[in-house]
Amino acid sequence: MSSLHEECGVFGIMTPQPENLAHLTYCGLFALQHRGQEGAGITVNDDGVFTTHKDLGLVDHVFSPQVLSAFPHGTMAVGHTRYGTTGGNERRNCQPMEVNHQKGKMALVHNGNLSNAGRLRSVLEQRGAIFHSTSDTEIIAYLITQARLQTDSIEAAVRLAVPQLEGAFSLIIMSAQKLIAVRDPHGFRPLCIGRLPDGGYVLASESCALHAVGAVFLRDAEPGEMIVLTQDGKLYSDRRLTGTEPRRTCIFEYIYFARPDSVLDGVSVHAARKKAGALLAQMHPAKADAVIGVPDSGLDAALGFAEASGIPYGIGLIKNKYIGRTFIAPSQSERDSGVQLKLSPIRETVAGKRIVLIDDSIVRGTTSRRIVTLLRNAGAKEIHFRVSAPPFLHPCYYGTDIDSEENLIANHHTVREIAEIIGADSLGFLPVEALPQLISSDGICNACFTGDYPTAVEQDECKERFERKIHG
Ligand code: SF4
C-alpha cells in the first residue's frame, strides 16, 4: 500500500516460426503491469521489419483488440510497462525505443536508472548527439548505436557500450536477427529467461511473466551477464560483460515491488515477505487478537507474523482492485481520499479487537494515518503497526521514486513520534540488520535505508532529476 513508485517491466520473446507475438507480449506485459502503469509498448520484428505501438496508459488501454490485431506475426518481439523514474510522463518517453542506424534497426527496453546519466548525456551532446526524449534509455541506445559503427555485430557493440553505464539496468535489445538480455553488474533489477514448448525463449523482469505465456523458467540472468539469442535457436552467454562488482540486489523488490508469485534470483517473493513478518513477530511482538495485512504486499508478511506469533490471521482490509494506484493522485488531499476509495475495513475482523497491522513501508506517514483511522472507525480497539521494511531515510537513484529526504517522515521523527502521528498504539520496523535474512544473502542494496550507495552517484544531477519527477 506504499505510495512508492514502481520501476518498469521488460519483456522479450523469440519463436522458431512466425507467430502472433503481439498477443503473447501483451500477456507478458499484463503480468508485469504492477511494475509500471504510466505507459506500455510493444515492438514486433517480422523478418527485420519492426512494427511498434506504444502510448501512455495501462496495458489493456494501450492495446485494444484492434491495435493488437494490426500487428504482423513475427519471430521476435519486445515489450515494456513504464513508470517514468526519469524523464517525464510523456509518450515520447514510452518504450520500446526504436532506433534506425547505419547497420540496421534496434529496439530497446530498459528497467532501472543510470547513476551517471547526466555525465554520459553531456559527453554525447558535446559530440553532437541530439536527444528526443529525457529518459536514460535513449542514452543507452545512443551508446550502443555509436559502438555498432565500430563493430561487426550487435553483441560486440553492447560489449563496448555497457561498461560505460553505471547504476541499474536490466535491458532487452532486439536487432533484426537477435534478442539480447543484459543485467547490470550489481544485479539491482531482476531479469530471467524461460523456454517455450516450441523451443522459443522468453526474457522477462519477473518469472510471473514467463508463466503468463506458457514458458518454463530456465534461470535468472546473472549480474553483469549478456545473454544472446539467435534466430536459429542458439543461446550463448557472456558473464564478463563488466568488472567483478559485488551483487547488490534491490531488497525492496522482495518487500514491495515484485509480485508474490515471482521467484527472483532463486528466492520466492512470497517466502521473503513471510520471513519479514516472522522476524517482525520475534523483534517487535505484540499482544493482539488478530493480525491483518495492508493489501497487497502487506498480506504475506502478515501471514508470516501470524504463524510465528500464534495470533490468528484475519482479512481486515479489502482493496478495490479497479482503482488506480494511490500515487497517481498528484496532491496530498487527493492522495488522502485515494486511500478511502481504495481500501475498506472488514468490521467483523477488527471491531472490538486488538489488531497487529502489517504494511510494507511508511513514506510520508499520510497513508498509514488514513489506514489506522479507517480501522479505528471500524471499531478496532488497539492498533499495533508493524512495517516489513526499515524506515526510509534516503532517496533511491536506481529506479525507485522514494520521496525526497525532507518528505520522509523517518528523517524528522523518532519511531515513538511516528506512532503518535499515524495514531498507532505501537510501531515497529524491521531492522536493517535483518534484511539479508529475507533472501539469505548479504548481496543486497539497502541504500534507501542506510545511505550506503553501491555505485558512485552524481548526487546533484540525480537529485535534480529526481525532484523534477517527484514534484513535477
Ligand atoms: Fe532498492 Fe532501496 Fe537500493 Fe533503490 S536504494 S535499489 S529501492 S534497496
Side-chain angles (χ1 to χ4, degrees):
M1 188 59 201
S2 165
S3 59
L4 295 173
H5 303 165
E6 284 88 345
E7 317 121 29
C8 296
V10 295
F11 185 87
I13 186 164
M14 175 181 267
T15 52
Q17 301 300 327
E19 282 190 38
N20 185 356
L21 295 190
H23 175 72
L24 285 175
T25 305
Y26 171 87
C27 296
L29 295 185
F30 208 74
L32 297 172
Q33 183 72 87
H34 59 289
R35 296 186 71 85
Q37 298 163 336
E38 285 187 358
I42 294 175
T43 301
V44 170
N45 178 347
D46 171 24
D47 204 16
V49 177
F50 285 19
T51 305
T52 298
H53 180 84
K54 56 184 180 179
D55 211 339
L56 298 174
L58 298 169
V59 173
D60 64 342
H61 293 167
V62 173
F63 294 103
S64 64
Q66 291 79 2
V67 167
L68 277 181
S69 62
F71 275 99
H73 284 202
T75 53
M76 275 185 261
V78 289
H80 191 257
T81 57
R82 172 174 171 78
Y83 175 74
T85 45
T86 64
N89 181 21
E90 301 164 40
R91 189 182 177 280
R92 69 193 166 123
N93 284 323
C94 289
Q95 299 182 30
M97 184 156 286
E98 197 183 328
V99 182
N100 291 306
H101 55 92
Q102 255 185 13
K103 293 188 178 174
K105 277 177 174 287
M106 180 178 82
L108 182 76
V109 288
H110 169 217
N111 171 207
N113 267 20
L114 302 181
S115 49
N116 65 340
R119 182 158 36 91
L120 289 174
R121 182 179 281 264
S122 124
V123 168
L124 287 167
E125 281 175 340
Q126 279 163 24
R127 286 193 212 142
I130 296 167
F131 288 95
H132 301 285
S133 76
T134 50
S135 76
D136 291 2
T137 314
E138 195 175 4
I139 297 171
I140 302 172
Y142 227 107
L143 290 171
I144 296 172
T145 48
Q146 275 198 342
R148 184 72 182 89
L149 297 176
Q150 311 158 38
T151 54
D152 57 6
S153 70
I154 182 76
E155 58 269 37
V158 171
R159 236 179 243 118
L160 268 187
V162 163
Q164 300 172 63
L165 309 176
E166 289 170 16
F169 50 94
S170 283
L171 300 169
I172 304 177
I173 302 152
M174 180 170 71
S175 71
Q177 303 289 338
K178 291 170 190 155
L179 200 57
I180 299 177
V182 177
R183 195 170 174 199
D184 70 70
H186 293 288
F188 286 104
R189 300 290 160 221
L191 190 61
C192 63
I193 180 164
R195 197 91 208 247
L196 288 162
D198 65 0
Y201 289 98
V202 179
L203 301 160
S205 292
E206 293 182 33
S207 58
C208 64
L210 304 181
H211 305 142
V213 297
V216 176
F217 175 85
L218 277 183
R219 66 179 178 85
D220 295 284
E222 290 295 317
E225 181 181 14
M226 171 171 69
I227 296 172
V228 182
L229 303 170
T230 63
Q231 195 63 85
D232 55 1
K234 294 202 175 76
L235 177 158
Y236 61 94
S237 149
D238 182 347
R239 296 185 190 225
R240 294 163 294 107
L241 194 56
T242 54
T244 48
E245 311 283 353
R247 182 187 279 267
R248 288 286 179 261
T249 308
C250 169
I251 195 65
F252 214 60
E253 288 278 352
Y254 293 91
I255 293 169
Y256 172 65
F257 291 128
R259 244 172 61 166
D261 56 332
S262 286
V263 176
L264 311 181
D265 290 327
V267 178
S268 148
V269 173
H270 168 71
R273 287 184 191 163
K274 271 186 73 181
K275 179 86 185 176
L279 290 168
L280 275 173
Q282 281 170 23
M283 293 168 178
H284 299 290
K287 287 196 173 124
D289 306 305
V291 182
I292 67 170
V294 179
D296 293 318
S297 38
L299 298 178
D300 311 72
L303 194 58
F305 192 109
E307 283 180 8
S309 65
I311 302 169
Y313 174 80
I315 308 271
L317 289 164
I318 288 294
K319 181 174 158 190
N320 183 347
K321 293 190 174 27
Y322 303 101
I323 196 167
R325 294 257 170 155
T326 316
F327 58 70
I328 292 168
S331 72
Q332 195 59 57
S333 62
E334 283 166 300
R335 268 195 286 265
D336 285 357
S337 59
V339 175
Q340 271 175 307
L341 280 175
K342 196 168 174 182
L343 289 177
S344 23
I346 296 188
R347 188 169 283 275
E348 289 68 24
T349 306
V350 301
K353 306 254 180 68
R354 299 168 299 169
I355 298 295
V356 173
L357 172 67
I358 313 270
D359 203 354
D360 53 64
S361 53
I362 297 180
V363 184
R364 295 176 177 219
T366 323
T367 304
S368 309
R369 191 177 65 234
R370 289 291 315 144
I371 295 170
V372 169
T373 306
L374 275 181
L375 293 172
R376 294 253 188 240
N377 291 345
K381 204 161 72 179
E382 291 176 20
I383 298 172
H384 301 279
F385 205 118
R386 300 291 180 266
V387 186
S388 56
F392 280 121
L393 297 171
H394 306 278
C396 169
Y397 300 117
Y398 307 118
T400 307
D401 276 356
I402 292 167
D403 214 332
S404 42
E405 287 182 2
E406 68 263 27
N407 290 326
L408 295 172
I409 192 169
N411 260 324
H412 312 290
H413 297 283
T414 63
V415 172
R416 190 184 290 268
E417 287 168 348
I418 298 171
E420 264 174 44
I421 292 167
I422 66 174
D425 294 283
S426 72
L427 173 64
F429 290 88
L430 192 70
V432 169
E433 302 71 41
L435 290 175
Q437 293 185 56
L438 304 190
I439 61 168
S440 303
S441 168
D442 288 330
I444 61 167
C445 175
N446 59 16
C448 46
F449 311 117
T450 61
D452 178 16
Y453 294 98
T455 67
V457 170
E458 293 166 9
Q459 295 263 357
D460 292 345
E461 201 273 336
C462 279
K463 272 187 182 155
E464 194 196 314
R465 289 195 304 158
F466 173 77
E467 292 296 326
R468 271 205 307 269
K469 177 67 199 171
I470 292 279
H471 302 299

Coordinates of all heavy atoms in Angstrom, one line a residue, residues 356-406:
V356 N -2.8 -6.4 15.1 CA -1.5 -6.1 14.6 C -1.7 -5.8 13.1 O -2.3 -6.7 12.4 CB -0.6 -7.3 14.7 CG1 0.8 -7.1 14.0 CG2 -0.3 -7.6 16.2
L357 N -1.3 -4.7 12.7 CA -1.4 -4.3 11.3 C -0.1 -4.2 10.6 O 0.8 -3.6 11.1 CB -2.1 -2.9 11.2 CG -2.1 -2.2 9.9 CD1 -3.1 -2.9 9.0 CD2 -2.6 -0.7 10.1
I358 N 0.1 -5.0 9.5 CA 1.4 -5.0 8.8 C 1.3 -4.3 7.5 O 0.4 -4.6 6.6 CB 1.8 -6.5 8.5 CG1 1.6 -7.4 9.7 CG2 3.2 -6.6 8.0 CD1 2.7 -7.5 10.7
D359 N 2.2 -3.4 7.2 CA 2.4 -2.8 5.9 C 3.8 -2.9 5.5 O 4.7 -3.2 6.3 CB 1.9 -1.3 6.0 CG 1.5 -0.8 4.6 OD1 1.7 -1.5 3.6 OD2 1.0 0.3 4.5
D360 N 4.1 -2.6 4.2 CA 5.4 -2.8 3.7 C 6.3 -1.6 3.9 O 7.6 -1.7 3.8 CB 5.4 -3.1 2.2 CG 4.6 -2.0 1.4 OD1 5.0 -0.9 1.4 OD2 3.5 -2.4 0.9
S361 N 5.8 -0.4 4.2 CA 6.6 0.8 4.4 C 5.8 1.9 4.9 O 4.6 1.9 4.9 CB 7.2 1.2 3.0 OG 6.2 1.3 2.1
I362 N 6.5 2.9 5.5 CA 5.9 4.2 5.8 C 6.8 5.2 5.1 O 8.0 5.3 5.3 CB 5.9 4.4 7.3 CG1 5.0 3.4 8.0 CG2 5.3 5.8 7.6 CD1 4.9 3.6 9.5
V363 N 6.2 6.0 4.2 CA 6.9 7.0 3.5 C 6.7 8.4 4.1 O 7.5 8.9 4.9 CB 6.5 7.0 2.0 CG1 7.4 8.0 1.2 CG2 6.7 5.6 1.4
R364 N 5.6 9.0 3.8 CA 5.3 10.3 4.5 C 4.5 10.1 5.8 O 4.4 11.1 6.6 CB 4.5 11.2 3.5 CG 5.2 11.6 2.3 CD 4.3 12.3 1.3 NE 5.0 12.8 0.2 CZ 4.8 14.0 -0.4 NH1 3.9 14.8 0.0 NH2 5.5 14.3 -1.5
G365 N 3.8 9.0 5.9 CA 3.0 8.8 7.1 C 1.5 9.0 6.8 O 0.7 8.6 7.6
T366 N 1.2 9.7 5.7 CA -0.2 10.1 5.5 C -1.0 8.9 5.2 O -2.1 8.8 5.8 CB -0.2 11.0 4.2 OG1 0.9 11.9 4.2 CG2 -1.5 11.8 4.2
T367 N -0.5 8.0 4.3 CA -1.3 6.8 4.0 C -1.5 6.0 5.3 O -2.6 5.5 5.5 CB -0.6 6.0 2.9 OG1 -0.4 6.9 1.8 CG2 -1.4 4.8 2.5
S368 N -0.5 5.8 6.0 CA -0.6 5.0 7.2 C -1.6 5.6 8.2 O -2.4 4.8 8.8 CB 0.8 4.9 7.9 OG 1.8 4.5 7.0
R369 N -1.6 6.9 8.4 CA -2.5 7.5 9.3 C -4.0 7.3 8.8 O -4.8 7.0 9.6 CB -2.2 9.0 9.4 CG -3.0 9.7 10.5 CD -2.7 11.2 10.6 NE -3.1 11.9 9.4 CZ -2.3 12.7 8.7 NH1 -1.0 12.9 9.0 NH2 -2.8 13.3 7.7
R370 N -4.2 7.4 7.5 CA -5.5 7.1 7.0 C -6.0 5.7 7.3 O -7.1 5.5 7.6 CB -5.6 7.4 5.5 CG -5.4 8.8 5.1 CD -6.6 9.7 5.4 NE -7.9 9.0 5.1 CZ -9.0 9.1 5.9 NH1 -9.0 9.8 7.0 NH2 -10.1 8.5 5.5
I371 N -5.1 4.8 7.1 CA -5.4 3.3 7.3 C -5.8 3.1 8.8 O -6.7 2.4 9.1 CB -4.3 2.4 6.8 CG1 -4.1 2.6 5.3 CG2 -4.6 1.0 7.1 CD1 -2.9 1.9 4.7
V372 N -4.9 3.7 9.6 CA -5.2 3.5 11.1 C -6.6 4.1 11.4 O -7.4 3.5 12.1 CB -4.1 4.2 11.9 CG1 -4.5 4.2 13.4 CG2 -2.8 3.4 11.7
T373 N -6.9 5.3 10.8 CA -8.2 5.9 11.1 C -9.3 5.0 10.6 O -10.3 4.9 11.3 CB -8.2 7.3 10.4 OG1 -7.1 8.0 10.9 CG2 -9.5 8.0 10.8
L374 N -9.1 4.4 9.4 CA -10.2 3.6 8.9 C -10.5 2.4 9.8 O -11.7 2.1 10.1 CB -9.7 2.9 7.6 CG -9.9 3.6 6.2 CD1 -9.3 2.7 5.1 CD2 -11.3 3.9 6.0
L375 N -9.4 1.9 10.4 CA -9.6 0.7 11.3 C -10.2 1.1 12.6 O -11.0 0.4 13.2 CB -8.3 0.0 11.5 CG -7.7 -0.7 10.3 CD1 -6.3 -1.2 10.5 CD2 -8.6 -1.8 9.8
R376 N -9.8 2.3 13.1 CA -10.4 2.8 14.4 C -11.9 3.1 14.2 O -12.7 2.7 15.0 CB -9.8 4.2 14.8 CG -8.3 4.1 15.2 CD -8.1 4.2 16.7 NE -6.7 4.3 17.0 CZ -6.1 3.5 17.7 NH1 -6.7 2.5 18.4 NH2 -4.8 3.6 18.0
N377 N -12.2 3.7 13.0 CA -13.6 3.9 12.7 C -14.4 2.6 12.6 O -15.7 2.6 12.8 CB -13.8 4.8 11.4 CG -13.3 6.2 11.6 OD1 -13.1 6.6 12.8 ND2 -13.0 6.9 10.5
A378 N -13.7 1.5 12.2 CA -14.4 0.3 12.1 C -14.5 -0.5 13.5 O -14.9 -1.6 13.5 CB -13.7 -0.6 11.1
G379 N -14.0 0.2 14.5 CA -14.1 -0.4 15.9 C -12.9 -1.0 16.4 O -12.9 -1.6 17.5
A380 N -11.7 -1.0 15.8 CA -10.5 -1.6 16.3 C -10.2 -1.0 17.7 O -10.2 0.3 17.8 CB -9.3 -1.4 15.3
K381 N -9.8 -1.8 18.6 CA -9.6 -1.3 20.0 C -8.2 -0.8 20.1 O -7.9 0.2 20.7 CB -9.9 -2.5 21.0 CG -10.2 -2.0 22.4 CD -10.9 -3.1 23.1 CE -9.9 -4.2 23.5 NZ -10.5 -5.3 24.3
E382 N -7.2 -1.6 19.6 CA -5.8 -1.2 19.6 C -5.2 -1.5 18.3 O -5.6 -2.5 17.6 CB -5.0 -2.0 20.7 CG -5.3 -1.7 22.1 CD -4.6 -2.6 23.1 OE1 -3.5 -3.2 22.7 OE2 -5.0 -2.7 24.2
I383 N -4.3 -0.7 17.8 CA -3.6 -1.0 16.5 C -2.1 -0.9 16.7 O -1.5 0.1 17.1 CB -4.0 0.0 15.5 CG1 -5.5 -0.1 15.2 CG2 -3.3 -0.2 14.2 CD1 -6.1 0.9 14.3
H384 N -1.5 -2.1 16.5 CA 0.0 -2.2 16.7 C 0.5 -2.4 15.3 O 0.4 -3.4 14.6 CB 0.3 -3.4 17.6 CG -0.3 -3.3 18.9 ND1 0.3 -2.5 19.9 CD2 -1.5 -3.7 19.4 CE1 -0.5 -2.5 21.0 NE2 -1.6 -3.3 20.7
F385 N 1.1 -1.3 14.8 CA 1.6 -1.1 13.4 C 3.0 -1.7 13.3 O 3.9 -1.4 14.0 CB 1.6 0.3 13.0 CG 1.4 0.6 11.6 CD1 0.3 1.4 11.1 CD2 2.3 0.2 10.7 CE1 0.2 1.7 9.8 CE2 2.2 0.5 9.3 CZ 1.1 1.2 8.9
R386 N 3.1 -2.7 12.4 CA 4.4 -3.3 12.1 C 4.8 -3.1 10.6 O 3.9 -3.3 9.8 CB 4.5 -4.7 12.5 CG 4.1 -5.0 14.0 CD 5.2 -4.5 14.9 NE 5.0 -4.7 16.3 CZ 4.4 -3.8 17.1 NH1 4.0 -2.6 16.6 NH2 4.2 -4.1 18.4
V387 N 6.0 -2.8 10.4 CA 6.4 -2.5 9.0 C 7.5 -3.5 8.5 O 8.5 -3.6 9.2 CB 7.0 -1.0 8.9 CG1 7.3 -0.7 7.4 CG2 6.0 0.0 9.5
S388 N 7.3 -4.1 7.4 CA 8.2 -5.2 6.9 C 9.4 -4.6 6.2 O 10.0 -5.3 5.4 CB 7.4 -6.2 6.0 OG 6.8 -5.5 5.0
A389 N 9.8 -3.4 6.5 CA 11.0 -2.8 6.0 C 11.5 -1.8 7.0 O 10.7 -1.4 7.9 CB 10.7 -2.0 4.7
P390 N 12.8 -1.4 7.0 CA 13.3 -0.4 7.9 C 12.7 1.0 7.5 O 12.1 1.1 6.4 CB 14.8 -0.5 7.6 CG 15.1 -1.8 6.9 CD 13.8 -2.0 6.1
P391 N 13.0 2.0 8.3 CA 12.5 3.3 7.9 C 13.2 3.9 6.7 O 14.5 3.8 6.7 CB 12.8 4.2 9.2 CG 13.1 3.2 10.3 CD 13.6 2.0 9.6
F392 N 12.5 4.5 5.8 CA 13.2 5.1 4.6 C 13.8 6.4 5.1 O 13.2 7.3 5.7 CB 12.2 5.5 3.6 CG 11.7 4.4 2.7 CD1 10.4 4.0 2.7 CD2 12.7 3.7 2.0 CE1 10.0 2.9 1.9 CE2 12.3 2.6 1.2 CZ 11.0 2.3 1.1
L393 N 15.1 6.6 4.8 CA 15.9 7.8 5.1 C 16.5 8.5 3.9 O 16.9 9.7 4.0 CB 17.0 7.4 6.1 CG 16.5 6.8 7.5 CD1 17.7 6.3 8.3 CD2 15.8 7.9 8.3
H394 N 16.6 7.8 2.8 CA 17.4 8.3 1.7 C 16.6 8.0 0.4 O 15.9 7.0 0.3 CB 18.8 7.7 1.6 CG 19.5 7.9 2.9 ND1 20.2 9.1 3.2 CD2 19.7 7.0 3.9 CE1 20.7 8.9 4.4 NE2 20.4 7.7 4.9
P395 N 16.9 8.9 -0.7 CA 16.3 8.5 -2.0 C 17.0 7.4 -2.7 O 18.1 7.0 -2.3 CB 16.5 9.8 -2.8 CG 17.6 10.6 -2.1 CD 17.6 10.1 -0.7
C396 N 16.3 6.8 -3.6 CA 16.9 5.7 -4.5 C 17.3 6.3 -5.8 O 16.5 7.0 -6.4 CB 15.9 4.6 -4.7 SG 16.4 3.4 -5.9
Y397 N 18.5 6.0 -6.3 CA 19.0 6.5 -7.6 C 19.0 5.4 -8.6 O 19.6 5.5 -9.6 CB 20.3 7.2 -7.5 CG 20.3 8.4 -6.5 CD1 21.1 8.4 -5.4 CD2 19.5 9.5 -6.8 CE1 21.0 9.5 -4.5 CE2 19.4 10.6 -6.0 CZ 20.2 10.6 -4.8 OH 20.2 11.6 -4.0
Y398 N 18.4 4.3 -8.3 CA 18.4 3.1 -9.1 C 17.1 2.7 -9.7 O 16.9 1.5 -10.0 CB 19.1 1.9 -8.4 CG 20.4 2.3 -7.7 CD1 20.6 2.3 -6.4 CD2 21.5 2.8 -8.6 CE1 21.8 2.7 -5.8 CE2 22.7 3.1 -8.0 CZ 22.8 3.1 -6.6 OH 24.0 3.5 -6.1
G399 N 16.1 3.6 -9.7 CA 14.9 3.3 -10.4 C 13.7 3.2 -9.5 O 12.7 2.7 -10.0
T400 N 13.7 3.8 -8.3 CA 12.6 3.8 -7.5 C 12.3 5.2 -7.0 O 13.3 5.8 -6.5 CB 12.8 2.9 -6.2 OG1 13.2 1.6 -6.6 CG2 11.5 2.8 -5.4
D401 N 11.1 5.7 -7.1 CA 10.9 7.1 -6.6 C 10.5 7.1 -5.2 O 9.4 7.3 -4.8 CB 9.7 7.7 -7.4 CG 10.3 8.3 -8.7 OD1 11.5 8.2 -8.9 OD2 9.5 8.7 -9.5
I402 N 11.5 6.9 -4.3 CA 11.3 7.1 -2.9 C 11.3 8.6 -2.7 O 12.1 9.3 -3.4 CB 12.4 6.4 -2.1 CG1 12.2 4.9 -2.2 CG2 12.3 6.8 -0.6 CD1 13.4 4.1 -1.8
D403 N 10.4 9.1 -1.9 CA 10.2 10.6 -1.8 C 11.5 11.3 -1.4 O 12.5 10.6 -0.9 CB 9.1 10.8 -0.8 CG 8.3 12.0 -1.2 OD1 8.9 12.9 -1.9 OD2 7.1 12.1 -0.8
S404 N 11.6 12.6 -1.6 CA 12.8 13.3 -1.3 C 12.9 13.4 0.3 O 12.0 13.2 1.0 CB 12.7 14.7 -1.8 OG 11.5 15.3 -1.7
E405 N 14.2 13.5 0.7 CA 14.5 13.3 2.1 C 13.6 14.1 3.0 O 13.2 13.7 4.1 CB 16.0 13.6 2.4 CG 16.9 12.5 1.8 CD 18.3 12.7 2.0 OE1 18.7 13.7 2.7 OE2 19.1 11.8 1.6
E406 N 13.3 15.4 2.6 CA 12.6 16.2 3.6 C 11.1 15.7 3.8 O 10.5 16.1 4.7 CB 12.5 17.7 3.1 CG 11.8 18.0 1.9 CD 12.7 18.1 0.6 OE1 13.8 17.4 0.7 OE2 12.4 18.7 -0.3

